[in-house]
Amino acid sequence: MNVFAGVGGGGGSAGKEAGTVGGGALLELTPHKLAVCHLVQIFAPPPQAGVSAPALPFPFESVSHHNRLGLFLFALTREPPLVELLRQLKAVDGLVDDWLSDKLTSNLSALNSPDDLFNFFDELRGVLSAPEGASVEDVFLDPVSQLGVFLRCCILSFNTMTFEGVCHLLANLVEYCNSADTSYGLVEDEDFNSEIEMSNFMDANVHVRDGIFDKYNQGYAPGGHIGEGSSLVHAPASLHGFDEANTFKTDDNPSPTCLRSRWQLEAYLNQQADVLEKDPSSVPLNSFNATMSQLQKLAPELHRVQFLQYLNALTHDDYVAALDNLHRYFDYSAGMQGLFSHITSPFQDIIVGKYESALLCLGNLHCYFGHPKKALEAFTEAVRVSQMNNDDSCLAYILGAISNLLSKIGMSSRIGTIGSPYSLGNNIGLGTPLSIQQQLLVLLKRSLKRADTLKLTSLLSFDHLSLAKFDLKHVQRPLVSFGPNASTKLRTCPADVCKNLRLSSRVLTDFGTDGSSNDNGSFSTSWLRNLSAASNSWCSRSTKSRKLLTNDFENFHFHAQPSPIPASVLQLAGSAYLLRATAWEHYGSAPMVRMNSLVYATCFADAASSSELSLAYVKLIQHLATFKGYSAAFSALKLAEEKFPSSANSHIQLLKMQLLHERALHRGHLKVAQQICDEFAVLSSSVSGVDIELKTEARLRHARTLLAAKQFNQAANVANSLFSTCYKYNMQVENASVLLLLAEIHKNSDNAVLGLPYALASQSFCKSFNLDLLEASATLTLTELWLALGSTHAKRALSLVCQSLPMILGHGGLELRARAHIVLAKCYLSDPKFSVSKDPFAVLDPLNQAAEDLEVLEYHEMAAEAYYLKAMVYNNLGKLDEREEAAASFKEHTLALENPCNEEDSLAY
């Protein structure tokens, strides 16, 4: 087995690391590097002649245990003191009673002379040489892997040392070992958590060379900045009181200030950016701004402070402050901290890497606050500047941002949306302007092609997700839709959706190939943080925010190997599973929705933002409401509200209102239902085209409320207006639901003839977009309309309901299954050739099942219909006791529907 062969992209990554080493960052031998070399020698011991190699080196108990040490060594890019190294090693070494720590300290202490160092490096060469006749099952270190390159550089550096340099290294090694006294005490398991690890990470080795600190600026500063004369800053001992990780905490220094390196400050800013993304409600607006302002005074060259203030204002919906901080960030950075700084242009000092990225951020700001026209103006200008400066990377991201904007907002204009037809392809050369959907498809494919060419792995994954969303709700029509070769396909393709979702998940395996993960040390620091969390996941969490950001399922596999994949990559991979759940919800497969939501909530909870994680919880709670009833759903909702505060999470708030509205309609509490509809309307933005899906749902629920109140004319007017709006914004999937609602309105108003065209149109839409479960529901409505036309259509109605039963019974919820059972019974009872006395169970079995399901849902109107039919059947059979029991239940539900009491209880749960 070739240990860590090709880690980080194979030979390309190794070559890059070797270049870094050659630049002087790692070639200078230090005691810390000697300690790492000793651990590498333990990890991959040299082969012995005539002795068969064991399956695993001593003292490792499993492959997972062995790999944990390898990943730990791979993550050691900084140089902590020996005590700190031993603390980190304890998390890996816990399974073998601290054998690795004792072995390391004894080996280092045994190096007493230059000859000992020479012998050690001579033995170290054996680690890199594969034994003769080695098979793939043998464990040896690949010389071109990350650890192999590291060892080769250390050996090369030692070979080029003078005798004085070797003596100096030996003296430093003695001092390094003396820093860890023999009486040092390793912390207990419950003390070794992410807070202590991050605190020590911030306090360790503030005297490391400036070049290593500058390496951690994540590409925002390709060179030194004006005014950066020193890499150390007098920072306050406690800048901000976050419970998750106080990175400026000091244990030994009681003074109010202490020296902090630029690298430490950058790490602090990165951490706060993660907190703002994952749980913005835990970050107070004013105190965070005060902290950032204080840090800005202490280190004026850290312009990313303004960017964090912009993110803070953005997450707290402060438009004025967000816009002001964004302008200040790009003004003060003087073009040196643009998002894309690798472009070569004669105008680089003026605009390259700054202006187009500033416009990109400005467009995202307007998109967030619901200003689509201003966002498109900013994106269009960004496209022009990027093309002028040949900034391909920024252009690819801008195209992705525009496609994301067009997929979220509604636009009725068919021309002049994007701006210049020369830049984005509004025109196909035939004088025919493209529709919004065609423009969106062109943008997505163009962004995908650029991302693939430039090896932008994250953007490539995002574009695949966007294409999957597009394929889910749009029929891809050819740009030239005439002629003998024109396609006649008018259906969406689920296979294309699955293909793009599968390709987007490749970001998990391709994230290191573009070299982006090796530029800033984020791989190493994130792995060390995950290692700390995995080693102590059984410890109690003391703060609410810690419980929010920690994966509850870690408690069941805390000995598993922690993931070295960065959080941003995990977020993209997790989004694929979340979109899979949405796709299966769209197609009508409830088990697949539940499975993908559980996968996301289980495997990606640590990296997910609170918004995305709450969406997974929402899907699981909706599944409970559909299949278990409202009691189970509201019990789960209470737990979700504790985990995600409703005031800060729109998904949980919307779910609560949806469940309350559904229950109010089922109970017949129409005043409460109308009150919730009004609250739905208030939540949406007043800007045209923004929150269009929320506005559609609010009006759809309003029409359903009017239908339940038997105000058929008003319900039909609302539904017709909603259909026009959906057609205007090309929301074809929503049109299927609106058409089905119109069919229901005409059915309940005893106008079946007018309802038939709407039911057939809805069924046609469902087939075009593969809405299988909604199509089954439309088929039931069509069946009821045929039954309303007379008993002569009973056979046709029975054929239709039997056609939809497999889908409904396999994937439908309690309400849809109960409705199907009632319709099936009505088909039999309407057939003049059917005799109840000959086959009573053909009617009674579905009616009993329907009554049982409707009791769970408290659906009084439909339950009354089921008990009425049961009473009629028992009367024909002469079973008077059963008839009276069914009649009593019918009366109970009818009275509850006609005389609703305690309507306020519908708002409590």
Side-chain angles (χ1 to χ4, degrees):
M1 180 178 63
N2 206 346
V3 180
F4 286 89
V7 173
S13 297
K16 181 175 181 180
E17 188 66 24
T20 304
V21 173
L26 289 178
L27 271 179
E28 181 182 355
L29 275 183
T30 61
H32 169 73
K33 292 184 179 61
L34 288 178
V36 175
C37 289
H38 274 285
L39 291 175
V40 173
Q41 191 179 31
I42 297 174
F43 171 73
Q48 298 180 5
V51 179
S52 59
L56 283 173
F58 179 80
F60 302 103
E61 300 177 350
S62 63
V63 175
S64 175
H65 186 203
H66 186 234
N67 287 345
R68 289 186 67 180
L69 177 60
L71 287 174
F72 172 74
L73 295 175
F74 182 61
L76 287 177
T77 58
R78 61 187 180 91
E79 296 197 3
L82 182 57
V83 175
E84 171 64 13
L85 176 61
L86 294 175
R87 283 181 175 179
Q88 296 174 3
L89 189 58
K90 180 177 175 59
V92 183
D93 194 21
L95 297 177
V96 289
D97 299 328
D98 304 332
W99 184 90
L100 291 176
S101 302
D102 297 337
K103 182 68 174 178
L104 176 62
T105 53
S106 61
N107 287 350
L108 290 177
S109 301
L111 299 176
N112 297 321
S113 66
D115 290 339
D116 295 334
L117 284 175
F118 178 82
N119 294 333
F120 166 69
F121 279 100
D122 186 58
E123 295 174 358
L124 202 59
R125 291 190 183 94
V127 176
L128 298 171
S129 60
E132 294 183 1
S135 64
V136 293
E137 301 297 331
D138 297 331
V139 177
F140 62 93
L141 190 64
D142 190 351
V144 298
S145 66
Q146 192 87 3
L147 295 180
V149 171
F150 175 81
L151 284 186
R152 288 159 58 195
C153 291
C154 290
I155 295 172
L156 176 62
S157 178
F158 181 80
N159 291 340
T160 57
M161 271 187 175
T162 62
F163 182 75
E164 290 78 11
V166 174
C167 293
H168 183 69
L169 174 62
L170 189 63
N172 290 338
L173 179 62
V174 173
E175 183 180 357
Y176 180 74
C177 293
N178 289 338
S179 64
D181 189 71
T182 54
S183 60
Y184 73 90
L186 292 176
V187 293
E188 297 298 329
D189 284 339
E190 57 269 17
D191 296 330
F192 186 78
N193 52 35
S194 60
E195 298 177 2
I196 291 180
E197 195 279 331
M198 182 55 72
S199 174
N200 293 327
F201 167 71
M202 296 296 296
D203 290 331
N205 199 10
V206 298
H207 300 294
V208 182
R209 297 180 352 175
D210 299 347
I212 300 179
F213 297 148
D214 294 336
K215 188 181 176 184
Y216 194 78
N217 57 23
Q218 289 198 347
Y220 283 87
H225 299 278
I226 300 174
E228 291 186 26
S230 174
S231 62
L232 299 180
V233 179
H234 286 274
S238 180
L239 281 179
H240 195 62
F242 286 121
D243 294 330
E244 173 63 20
N246 188 354
T247 58
F248 286 89
K249 177 176 60 178
T250 54
D251 299 329
D252 303 326
N253 188 4
S255 62
T257 62
C258 57
L259 288 176
R260 296 299 181 197
S261 68
R262 177 183 174 83
W263 186 41
Q264 292 170 327
L265 296 180
E266 291 281 0
Y268 173 76
L269 295 179
N270 289 339
Q271 187 187 28
Q272 302 316 315
D274 290 339
V275 174
L276 282 171
E277 181 183 8
K278 287 187 176 182
D279 186 24
S281 62
S282 66
V283 182
L285 175 64
N286 296 328
S287 59
F288 183 85
N289 284 336
T291 301
M292 293 296 104
S293 299
Q294 184 182 6
L295 182 57
Q296 186 180 357
K297 292 178 182 179
L298 296 171
E301 71 278 2
L302 289 178
H303 304 302
R304 292 183 63 198
V305 171
Q306 282 107 0
F307 195 80
L308 254 69
Q309 290 178 311
Y310 152 71
L311 291 178
N312 186 37
L314 193 70
T315 54
H316 288 86
D317 298 328
D318 191 340
Y319 172 76
V320 177
L323 187 61
D324 178 64
N325 284 299
L326 183 63
H327 285 164
R328 284 196 298 146
Y329 168 68
F330 283 101
D331 288 341
Y332 293 162
S333 65
M336 300 298 292
Q337 291 189 359
L339 301 180
F340 309 96
S341 56
H342 61 278
I343 291 65
T344 59
S345 172
F347 307 103
Q348 181 159 357
D349 294 337
I350 302 175
I351 56 176
V352 174
K354 172 192 173 185
Y355 189 42
E356 55 265 42
S357 56
L359 290 169
L360 175 59
C361 292
L362 182 63
N364 287 327
L365 170 68
H366 288 305
C367 182
Y368 180 86
F369 284 104
H371 307 151
K373 292 184 179 180
K374 291 184 178 181
L376 281 174
E377 290 175 1
F379 287 145
T380 304
E381 180 66 13
V383 168
R384 185 188 65 81
V385 177
S386 298
Q387 288 180 333
M388 182 179 67
N389 296 306
N390 297 322
D391 194 345
D392 292 331
S393 298
C394 187
L395 180 60
Y397 280 99
I398 295 170
L399 294 178
I402 295 176
S403 62
N404 185 52
L405 172 65
L406 293 181
S407 65
K408 287 184 177 180
I409 65 175
M411 289 188 176
S412 58
S413 175
R414 295 176 60 87
I415 57 175
T417 305
I418 309 294
S420 171
Y422 305 105
S423 58
L424 296 179
N426 290 3
N427 195 290
I428 59 175
L430 299 176
T432 305
L434 302 185
S435 67
I436 297 299
Q437 285 69 36
Q438 288 172 323
Q439 291 182 37
L440 176 57
L441 181 59
V442 170
L443 286 170
L444 284 173
K445 291 188 175 180
R446 187 167 296 183
S447 178
L448 182 68
K449 182 178 179 181
R450 286 182 177 271
D452 190 23
T453 303
L454 299 171
K455 303 302 180 182
L456 302 174
T457 308
S458 298
L459 181 60
L460 192 64
S461 175
F462 173 79
D463 287 337
H464 279 299
L465 289 176
S466 300
L467 272 175
K469 290 181 184 178
F470 184 89
D471 293 335
L472 191 62
K473 290 192 174 184
H474 297 90
V475 176
Q476 291 194 23
R477 301 173 184 267
L479 297 182
V480 181
S481 56
F482 57 86
N485 295 326
S487 175
T488 58
K489 176 185 176 183
L490 294 177
R491 297 188 63 171
T492 59
C493 185
D496 290 342
V497 177
C498 295
K499 175 184 176 182
N500 281 301
L501 289 173
R502 186 178 69 253
L503 290 176
S504 68
S505 300
R506 289 181 57 184
V507 69
L508 285 172
T509 57
D510 296 346
F511 77 95
T513 59
D514 56 358
S516 58
S517 61
N518 296 326
D519 290 338
N520 49 35
S522 59
F523 179 94
S524 306
T525 55
S526 64
W527 190 85
L528 290 174
R529 189 159 53 248
N530 291 340
L531 173 63
S532 174
S535 300
N536 295 273
S537 57
W538 61 88
C539 301
S540 60
R541 271 71 176 180
S542 59
T543 63
K544 186 176 181 179
S545 62
R546 179 63 175 272
K547 291 179 181 178
L548 175 64
L549 299 176
T550 303
N551 186 353
D552 298 334
F553 293 89
E554 285 289 335
N555 296 328
F556 299 99
H557 51 78
F558 52 83
H559 285 303
Q561 177 176 308
S563 172
I565 301 175
S568 59
V569 176
L570 286 175
Q571 285 180 358
L572 280 172
S575 298
Y577 283 93
L578 204 56
L579 187 55
R580 277 191 182 95
T582 303
W584 285 115
E585 186 178 18
H586 182 89
Y587 297 137
S589 178
M592 296 300 294
V593 174
R594 179 174 179 269
M595 184 191 73
N596 283 280
S597 300
L598 282 174
V599 169
Y600 182 85
T602 305
C603 301
F604 299 96
D606 288 337
S609 64
S610 59
S611 176
E612 291 184 339
L613 185 59
S614 65
L615 183 58
Y617 278 67
V618 163
K619 293 184 182 298
L620 291 173
I621 295 174
Q622 287 175 335
H623 184 274
L624 282 177
T626 304
F627 290 89
K628 300 295 183 181
Y630 296 111
S631 298
F634 280 117
S635 298
L637 180 62
K638 290 180 181 179
L639 299 177
E641 285 182 329
E642 295 177 0
K643 192 176 186 66
F644 309 98
S646 297
S647 59
N649 195 287
S650 58
H651 295 306
I652 299 297
Q653 187 177 5
L654 284 176
L655 174 65
K656 174 183 175 182
M657 295 172 61
Q658 289 168 353
L659 294 180
L660 289 175
H661 183 260
E662 293 288 342
R663 188 175 67 175
L665 285 182
H666 288 169
R667 289 179 173 179
H669 298 166
L670 301 182
K671 292 183 179 179
V672 175
Q674 185 57 45
Q675 177 184 345
I676 298 174
C677 286
D678 295 338
E679 294 179 7
F680 261 104
V682 172
L683 289 178
S684 59
S685 172
S686 60
V687 180
S688 177
V690 178
D691 293 336
I692 189 66
E693 293 183 356
L694 183 58
K695 294 175 182 177
T696 301
E697 182 178 2
R699 295 170 66 184
L700 193 63
R701 290 184 178 277
H702 178 50
R704 289 180 56 197
T705 305
L706 293 174
L707 175 61
K710 301 187 183 305
Q711 299 179 13
F712 303 118
N713 290 332
Q714 297 183 30
N717 291 335
V718 173
N720 282 315
S721 175
L722 181 57
F723 178 82
S724 300
T725 302
C726 292
Y727 181 81
K728 175 182 178 181
Y729 292 107
N730 199 28
M731 303 172 64
Q732 305 299 342
V733 174
E734 287 75 10
N735 267 339
S737 300
V738 178
L739 289 170
L740 184 57
L741 176 62
L742 284 168
E744 292 282 347
I745 293 173
H746 289 295
K747 182 194 73 174
N748 291 347
S749 61
D750 297 328
N751 200 342
V753 175
L754 290 180
L756 280 173
Y758 291 109
L760 290 171
S762 176
Q763 196 176 45
S764 177
F765 270 94
C766 292
K767 289 181 179 179
S768 296
F769 293 93
N770 295 283
L771 308 175
D772 295 342
L773 195 60
L774 188 61
E775 181 186 355
S777 180
T779 303
L780 283 183
T781 301
L782 187 63
T783 302
E784 292 177 300
L785 290 171
W786 283 118
L787 287 176
L789 293 177
S791 59
T792 56
H793 301 283
K795 284 188 176 181
R796 176 183 295 178
L798 182 61
S799 175
L800 287 173
V801 73
C802 291
Q803 176 184 342
S804 62
L805 273 179
M807 183 67 191
I808 293 175
L809 298 180
H811 299 276
L814 294 175
E815 180 181 350
L816 189 58
R817 291 204 303 259
R819 183 182 164 201
H821 284 132
I822 292 175
V823 172
L824 179 63
K826 290 168 68 174
C827 288
Y828 283 121
L829 294 175
S830 300
D831 189 356
K833 298 181 180 180
F834 178 78
S835 175
V836 176
S837 58
K838 291 183 178 179
D839 192 6
F841 294 104
V843 179
L844 287 176
D845 286 345
L847 288 177
N848 288 329
Q849 185 62 49
E852 181 181 344
D853 293 340
L854 293 170
E855 288 287 351
V856 176
L857 288 175
E858 303 178 64
Y859 198 165
H860 295 312
E861 182 178 8
M862 198 176 291
E865 183 180 8
Y867 283 114
Y868 174 79
L869 293 175
K870 283 181 64 177
M872 294 286 294
V873 172
Y874 284 127
N875 184 63
N876 291 336
L877 294 175
K879 297 182 178 180
L880 301 182
D881 293 339
E882 289 83 352
R883 183 197 66 181
E884 293 302 321
E885 183 181 354
S889 299
F890 165 75
K891 181 179 179 180
E892 178 185 352
H893 285 284
T894 303
L895 291 176
L897 189 64
E898 294 177 351
N899 303 308
C901 56
N902 300 325
E903 291 194 30
E904 294 78 8
D905 294 342
S906 292
L907 295 175
Y909 57 93

